[in-house]
Amino acid sequence: MRTEPDWKRLAGKFIVFDGLDGCGKTTQLDLLESRIKAGGVPVVRMREPGSTRVGEHIRELLLSSKGDDLTMRTEMLLYMASRAQLVQESLLPALAGGNCVLSDRYTSSTLAYQGAAGGLPEDEILAVARVATQNTDPDLTIILDLPVEKAAARMAVKKPGKNVAQPGLFHDRIEQRRLEYHAAVRQGFLDQVARFPARYIKISAEGVRQAIEKKIAGGVAEFFNLL
Ligand code: TYD
C-alpha cells in the first residue's frame, strides 16, 4: 500500500470546488493545488465568473449589477456566457494538454444560486449549460458545506462591509432575507450531492484548516482511487 496518493493520475482531470461564500474554497484550493503539483502534475487554476479577458468583463458587470434590474434569466445567461468563453479558451486546451484543472465554482453554482435560490428551473439551467460547456462536466465536484450563519460570520470577518447588511431600520428584515437566500443556496448544493453521488462529494468546512485539508486530500484520493 502506498503512503502518498499517486497524484500523477489526476493529469487530464477536472475538479471543481463549490459552496457558500465564506466556506474557505480559495484557501483549500491553494492547499490541494500545492499537493498535486508536488506530486508531479501540472495544475491549471480557474475561478468563475472570470479567468478570461471576456469573462472578467462579464464578472464586473455581474458583481456590479447586484440589486439592479438584471432579470434572473439574464444573470444566469451571463454566468453561462463567461463559462462558455472559459471552456473554449482555457478548460478544453488545459485538459487536452494533460493538466489537472481546479476550478473555483462552475455549473454547480448556477444550479444553487440562480436555480435553487433564484427560482429558475433546473432543466433550463442544464440545457443552457450543455451548450455553454460543450457537455464538459467536472470529473468531481467537491461541495464545502457550512451552516449559513458560520459562512456569514466568516465573510463578515474576511470582507468587512461586502456582505453585511447596512445597520438601520430594516436591518433585521434584510439580514433575515439574506440568511434565507443563502440557506436556499446551501440546500441547492446539498441536493446536488444527494442527486449525483457518483460525481459529487460533500466535505464539512467546519473545523480547523489542516483537518479540512486532510479530508479533502483523502476524499480526492479515494474518489480517483489513487492509493
Ligand atoms: P466572488 O466574489 O468570486 O465570490 P467567492 O469568492 O465566494 O467565489 O463572487 C462570485 C459570486 O457569484 C458568488 O456570490 C456566487 C455567484 N455566482 C452565481 O450566482 N452563479 C454562478 O453561476 C457563479 C459561477 C457564481
Side-chain angles (χ1 to χ4, degrees):
M1 177 139 170
R2 308 173 60 92
T3 47
E4 182 66 16
D6 184 8
W7 298 111
K8 285 204 178 63
R9 282 159 54 194
L10 291 183
K13 299 291 185 204
F14 176 27
I15 301 173
V16 170
F17 275 42
D18 220 329
L20 289 174
D21 303 77
C23 71
K25 284 183 283 74
T26 311
T27 308
Q28 291 298 334
L29 272 163
D30 289 344
L31 295 168
L32 183 66
E33 177 179 2
S34 303
R35 253 180 209 266
I36 298 175
K37 277 185 174 162
V41 189
V43 173
V44 170
R45 267 286 281 280
M46 311 184 320
R47 69 161 185 181
E48 280 212 356
S51 294
T52 63
R53 196 180 57 80
V54 170
E56 290 296 334
H57 281 304
I58 298 174
R59 177 188 177 85
E60 238 171 73
L61 177 66
L62 275 164
L63 299 184
S64 66
S65 308
K66 283 238 161 108
D68 284 0
D69 50 1
L70 268 188
T71 72
M72 193 54 75
R73 244 183 210 86
T74 309
E75 189 176 318
M76 183 267 281
L77 289 167
L78 285 171
Y79 281 112
M80 288 292 187
S82 169
R83 190 164 298 138
Q85 184 76 22
L86 181 65
V87 168
Q88 180 74 45
E89 191 178 309
S90 314
L91 178 62
L92 291 174
L95 293 175
N99 296 279
C100 172
V101 176
L102 296 181
S103 182
D104 190 335
R105 303 191 181 281
Y106 198 62
T107 306
S108 39
S109 272
T110 318
L111 287 169
Y113 285 87
Q114 282 69 49
L120 288 186
E122 182 189 87
D123 57 345
E124 283 188 20
I125 295 174
L126 290 175
V128 178
R130 271 193 291 282
V131 177
T133 68
Q134 305 177 51
N135 283 315
T136 313
D137 289 328
D139 295 286
L140 171 63
T141 300
I142 295 175
I143 301 298
L144 286 181
D145 182 52
L146 199 60
V148 171
E149 292 76 8
K150 293 203 170 157
R154 286 196 195 174
M155 288 301 294
V157 173
K158 208 171 80 178
K159 301 179 189 167
K162 190 194 169 197
N163 268 334
V164 183
Q166 295 301 310
L169 202 56
F170 300 111
H171 175 77
D172 288 349
R173 195 162 54 83
I174 293 169
E175 179 70 5
Q176 186 55 33
R177 205 186 293 157
R178 198 173 65 82
L179 287 178
E180 277 166 19
Y181 176 77
H182 286 284
V185 173
R186 180 192 187 199
Q187 193 56 49
F189 283 125
L190 293 177
D191 288 346
Q192 291 176 60
V193 177
R195 289 195 41 209
F196 311 115
R199 292 188 282 122
Y200 280 66
I201 54 180
K202 180 188 88 170
I203 291 192
S204 167
E206 288 191 80
V208 295
R209 204 175 69 173
Q210 292 87 337
I212 300 166
E213 184 199 3
K214 248 182 133 178
K215 279 191 284 182
I216 291 174
V220 171
E222 192 185 323
F223 183 87
F224 288 102
N225 221 352
L226 307 180
L227 281 168

